[in-house]
Amino acid sequence: MTIYNDILMDHYHFPRNRGCAECEETGTSRALNPSCGDKIEVKLRVESGTITDICFEATGCAISIASASMLTEYCKGKDVVSVLALAFEDVVRIMGIAITPGRSKCALLPLQAIHEALASE
Amino acid sequence: MNQSKYRNQFPIFSTQDKLVYLDSAATALKPTSVIASMSEYYSSYSANIHRGLYPIALKATDEFDSARIAVKNLIHASSANEIVFTKGATESLNLIAHSVAKIIPKNSEILTTICDHHSNFVPWQQVAKMHDLKFGVMTINPLTVTEELLLQVVHDSVTEETSVLALPLVTNVFGVIFPVKAMIKVAREKNPDVLVVIDACQAVAHCAIDVVDIDADFLVFSGHKMFGPTGVGVMYGKSEILARMPPYQFGGDMISEVTIEATTFNDAPSKFEAGTPPIGEVIGLKSAISFIQEVTLDVLKSHARELQEYAVSALKKSFGDSIQLYTPRYLQSSSIINFNLKDCHAHDVAQILAENDVCVRGGHHCAQPLHDFLSIPASCRASVSIYNTTEDIDQFIAHLKRCFTVLGNSI
């Protein structure tokens, strides 16, 4: 059973919310996974406690890029409190794949960046 | 080539019949003889050593002590007392670093290389901080360096201030074989007092080692990379240096006399083996050495070399410009094939191979400074041993093609 299903690979090859040219961000952050060199920068705009815009730039493996794509898609329009409450189990549910311990850092890097961008506001 | 006649001695293949195990640089599989020797200890003479007067304690002590002689003979040490058992190469290196730091001159320099595994890098870096010593790193590109240039770097880097020189015998990322004998000679010409520490983890299952011939002061390796169990390793040290070193840990079995006021210590190796050692594992290690001697290091080396060459050639043929193979241009390499597929992240490649029972490593392989130095975020490492066959390599390449299909044309 592969975790590289069609949905995941679609998000990897065609990431949603990648590119930050038009974002009028209120918060931003960068996160790095030194064990594999994956990097992500997240920018987001919060208005009245709601994430109204979110985007990212990243280099990384399929899991981290797809996670960034799926999570930013999920977070857009959500209230900040509920996004700050997201944890590993939620990322697994949103991505819809079984993530082994060795890949949890890859899947969680975008969430870490989103949380830090919210904290940077 | 190359149906290994030794493959049937590894019982894992009878329970995992589809296994394509190409991660022996991380840990080698275990032959039946090693497993049986440990099982025999635990089931029929599971006593502590050096204390009991009853028959099974005497047998356990005999087996344990004969393992020390087997290690001595394997690496051609002068005396079995120069062989210290540890829980692994990492503990061996920590032992040396922490103990040696107390006998080398203040403000002297510990010198290592950018090619070293974190275990022959971080202990030195940290000990240098603790004891106000200098920490120097020779930035050597193992893929492009010539032997002449390598010796020049050693010549230029070792000074009168250098008290420790830590080197790999075979690098763990690319499997590059360092000409350590020549490097040590050059280092000693610059500074006769330098203590040379050799990490032989990636060498011990493929290369003949003679510590006297290469003139190493210390040499370390782990049992589990040489068909032995986890939890046991070796620290070789020259007798006269071991005699000068303070103990690393304190406890039972390493003491000569204890009073309320003070303790005197045994001589090496006992001085460095506080507490009950991993007896079953040491017995397993002895059996692993017997396995290596039965197969012979010549056969182990040539089998790995032939498979490595077969793999490199087949990878080039299959992927052309779409694969980056990290093979040394001038120095020799052993048993490791390191690569990246174009536009495919190393972790994704390793994961897709894993989903098909092909075991390789993706990442920085405990050598982050080297990957940073070479600007390679991560790489894939396949490594071969005596149980591998050309069929394993063919399977590996077939599944790599699938990786390329799934992952390619992106980023």
Side-chain angles (χ1 to χ4, degrees):
Chain A
M1 184 66 186
T2 181
I3 62 170
Y4 295 87
N5 62 35
D6 291 346
I7 298 168
L8 185 104
M9 294 317 290
D10 186 57
H11 278 270
Y12 173 52
H13 289 301
F14 309 102
R16 289 30 152 200
N17 305 311
R18 190 182 211 172
C20 294
E22 292 170 14
C23 183
E24 295 175 6
E25 74 273 15
T26 56
T28 182
S29 92
R30 288 177 184 178
L32 168 72
N33 181 355
S35 70
C36 61
D38 286 5
K39 289 176 192 163
I40 182 166
E41 179 176 21
V42 166
K43 291 182 179 177
L44 47 78
R45 180 170 184 82
V46 175
E47 292 173 282
S48 308
T50 300
I51 298 172
T52 55
D53 198 6
I54 183 167
C55 56
F56 74 97
E57 293 285 1
T59 54
C61 64
I63 306 294
S64 70
I65 300 292
S67 170
S69 174
M70 290 168 164
L71 276 179
T72 52
E73 197 172 48
Y74 176 87
C75 291
K76 201 178 278 188
K78 293 280 191 307
D79 66 276
V80 170
V81 176
S82 69
V83 170
L84 282 173
L86 293 177
F88 178 67
E89 298 71 30
D90 302 301
V91 176
V92 171
R93 178 174 48 80
I94 291 163
M95 295 185 73
I97 55 169
I99 294 167
T100 54
R103 302 305 298 279
S104 61
K105 273 188 184 175
C106 315
L108 281 173
L109 192 68
L111 182 65
Q112 180 195 332
I114 291 168
H115 282 170
E116 286 171 6
L118 288 170
S120 77
E121 278 211 308
Chain B
M1 258 263 291
N2 207 321
Q3 300 317 309
S4 169
K5 67 175 181 174
Y6 298 99
R7 190 176 171 94
N8 64 5
Q9 294 191 32
F10 291 82
I12 198 164
F13 294 116
S14 53
T15 56
Q16 307 272 338
D17 58 348
K18 288 183 184 157
L19 189 69
V20 177
Y21 189 75
L22 297 172
D23 201 15
S24 298
T27 196
L29 301 175
K30 319 306 172 200
T32 303
S33 56
V34 168
I35 299 164
S37 70
M38 294 176 69
S39 179
E40 190 194 352
Y41 165 71
Y42 285 117
S43 56
S44 66
Y45 62 101
S46 173
N48 211 327
I49 54 165
H50 297 156
R51 294 181 184 101
L53 303 176
Y54 39 89
I56 59 170
L58 298 178
K59 179 167 169 59
T61 301
D62 276 353
E63 289 294 324
F64 185 89
D65 290 345
S66 65
R68 206 185 297 279
I69 294 166
V71 173
K72 174 219 155 216
N73 291 338
L74 179 74
I75 63 170
H76 301 93
S78 303
S79 157
N81 290 335
E82 296 180 317
I83 306 300
V84 174
F85 289 120
T86 63
K87 70 175 185 183
T90 296
E91 190 181 50
S92 300
L93 289 162
N94 274 278
L95 188 168
I96 300 166
H98 283 271
S99 182
V100 155
K102 293 173 183 162
I103 62 165
I104 55 179
K106 295 222 178 308
N107 301 316
S108 63
E109 182 193 41
I110 293 170
L111 188 61
T112 184
T113 80
I114 197 97
C115 311
D116 273 279
H117 187 283
H118 289 165
S119 62
N120 204 19
F121 192 96
V122 181
W124 299 116
Q125 180 193 55
Q126 295 303 310
V127 158
K129 280 183 192 191
M130 285 173 209
H131 294 268
D132 287 327
L133 298 159
K134 294 178 185 121
F135 178 62
V137 179
M138 292 187 281
T139 47
I140 297 157
N141 182 340
L143 301 176
T144 57
V145 76
T146 60
E147 179 164 343
E148 191 183 4
L149 180 59
L150 189 56
L151 298 181
Q152 188 64 47
V153 171
V154 174
H155 180 270
D156 295 345
S157 304
V158 173
T159 67
E160 286 180 357
E161 270 199 330
T162 311
S163 53
V164 174
L165 176 63
L167 302 170
L169 178 45
V170 175
T171 70
N172 76 303
V173 177
F174 303 123
V176 176
I177 303 168
F178 270 23
V180 290
K181 182 179 176 181
M183 293 169 82
I184 293 171
K185 186 166 178 283
V186 169
R188 295 211 191 285
E189 283 164 8
K190 287 296 294 291
N191 181 349
D193 297 328
V194 68
L195 296 174
V196 183
V197 182
I198 302 294
D199 170 6
C201 283
Q202 294 296 341
V204 70
H206 308 286
C207 306
I209 294 171
D210 186 326
V211 289
V212 175
D213 180 54
I214 63 174
D215 195 17
D217 296 299
F218 298 97
L219 184 134
V220 308
F221 53 91
S222 292
H224 71 93
K225 291 198 205 295
M226 51 185 289
F227 315 107
T230 55
V232 63
V234 167
M235 180 200 74
Y236 157 82
K238 280 183 184 165
S239 292
E240 62 271 25
I241 302 168
L242 294 181
R244 286 195 283 132
M245 287 164 59
Y248 170 57
Q249 293 181 334
F250 304 94
D253 222 30
M254 53 81 72
I255 54 90
S256 174
E257 187 181 11
V258 180
T259 66
I260 291 175
E261 292 78 23
T263 298
T264 54
F265 307 117
N266 277 334
D267 293 333
S270 173
K271 178 167 70 171
F272 300 106
E273 293 179 353
T276 297
I279 302 166
E281 286 69 19
V282 166
I283 289 166
L285 178 65
K286 179 188 164 193
S287 182
I289 292 170
S290 297
F291 174 77
I292 286 173
Q293 287 165 340
E294 179 200 330
V295 180
T296 75
L297 280 161
D298 281 347
V299 169
L300 286 159
K301 187 176 184 176
S302 62
H303 185 88
R305 174 69 57 81
E306 283 170 37
L307 278 181
Q308 183 197 29
E309 285 172 359
Y310 177 84
V312 166
S313 158
L315 286 166
K316 280 181 183 164
K317 195 174 159 195
S318 300
F319 295 99
D321 293 338
S322 299
I323 192 165
Q324 173 73 54
L325 279 159
Y326 303 109
T327 47
R329 204 174 300 162
Y330 301 107
L331 298 182
Q332 294 217 319
S333 65
S334 162
S335 71
I336 287 175
I337 304 115
N338 197 301
F339 65 96
N340 269 317
L341 282 185
K342 192 181 176 194
D343 293 343
C344 300
H345 194 287
H347 277 162
D348 291 323
V349 172
Q351 175 98 45
I352 292 177
L353 292 175
E355 288 173 353
N356 293 282
D357 271 335
V358 179
C359 312
V360 304
R361 273 295 175 93
H364 55 54
H365 319 293
C366 297
Q368 220 170 310
L370 178 64
H371 279 78
D372 288 346
F373 174 58
L374 299 176
S375 300
I376 304 168
S379 59
C380 291
R381 183 186 70 183
S383 46
V384 294
S385 188
I386 193 67
Y387 33 72
N388 290 119
T389 63
T390 50
E391 195 180 316
D392 286 339
I393 304 297
D394 295 342
Q395 287 278 325
F396 160 58
I397 290 175
H399 289 296
L400 262 188
K401 287 179 181 165
R402 187 177 130 63
C403 292
F404 205 58
T405 310
V406 173
L407 298 167
N409 309 314
S410 186
I411 303 181

